[in-house]
Amino acid sequence: MTDCIFCRLLAGQEPASFLYRDDACAAFMDIRPINPGHLVVVPVRHATHLADLGAKAAGQLMEVAHHMAAGLRASGLHCEGVNMLLADGEAAMQEVLHVHLHVFPRFRGDGFGLRFGPEHVHHRPDLEVSAARIRTALSHISSERH
């Protein structure tokens, strides 16, 4: 896709600092890092949402992210911990509509954080209702695959 920045990076049409690449996915430095060492892992084939990828391709993203996290910890960069974040959809803060898994080093006082909204509450009956709806959806998805 010519309008997708990640596709252009993968095609060599834009500069990128690559860390890894195979036939299925690639890892490169994020151009707007949360902390030094922030990178993203992307599928080589364009997919807008995680559900657009097969399970094998999604698993490969995590395998590469796992390897990249080990590299961050061994790199000498300030890294007391590692976050991985995959934003799936604009409402989830996905800015580039090409699946990507952020991997970034964290340390105390780095200023980054996720905050709970004002309606964040734990009610067991609500959890059970949500779980039932998800189980029903999963059973439909599973039957469509077979």
Side-chain angles (χ1 to χ4, degrees):
M1 295 186 72
T2 57
D3 60 334
C4 173
I5 184 61
F6 289 168
C7 288
R8 290 195 313 269
L9 292 169
L10 292 164
Q13 298 168 345
E14 301 282 343
S17 299
F18 283 92
L19 302 162
Y20 177 88
R21 184 165 183 163
D22 64 23
D23 292 339
C25 64
F28 50 86
M29 302 306 295
D30 192 298
I31 197 163
R32 293 186 339 205
I34 290 178
N35 287 319
H38 181 168
L39 61 102
V40 292
V41 182
V42 304
V44 170
R45 181 182 64 81
H46 183 86
T48 302
H49 300 288
L50 187 58
D52 299 334
L53 288 179
K56 186 175 179 180
Q60 178 71 5
L61 288 180
M62 182 53 84
E63 284 184 29
V64 172
H66 175 265
H67 186 62
M68 295 297 110
L72 278 172
R73 288 185 175 273
S75 70
L77 292 169
H78 196 179
C79 181
E80 296 171 9
V82 175
N83 270 135
M84 294 186 191
L85 173 69
L86 191 145
D88 192 27
E90 291 182 61
M93 302 182 309
Q94 183 181 7
E95 293 178 352
V96 177
L97 298 179
H98 182 127
V99 173
H100 55 289
L101 178 56
H102 292 268
V103 181
F104 52 97
R106 296 297 310 276
F107 50 87
R108 284 181 178 76
D110 68 6
F112 180 79
L114 297 174
R115 309 280 187 267
F116 289 113
E119 301 299 318
H120 178 76
V121 212
H122 170 81
H123 295 292
R124 173 57 51 199
D126 294 339
L127 296 175
E128 292 302 327
V129 168
S130 295
R133 291 181 70 170
I134 294 167
R135 281 192 295 269
T136 299
L138 288 170
S139 69
H140 292 359
I141 291 169
S142 294
S143 66
E144 291 172 4
R145 288 186 179 168
H146 299 290

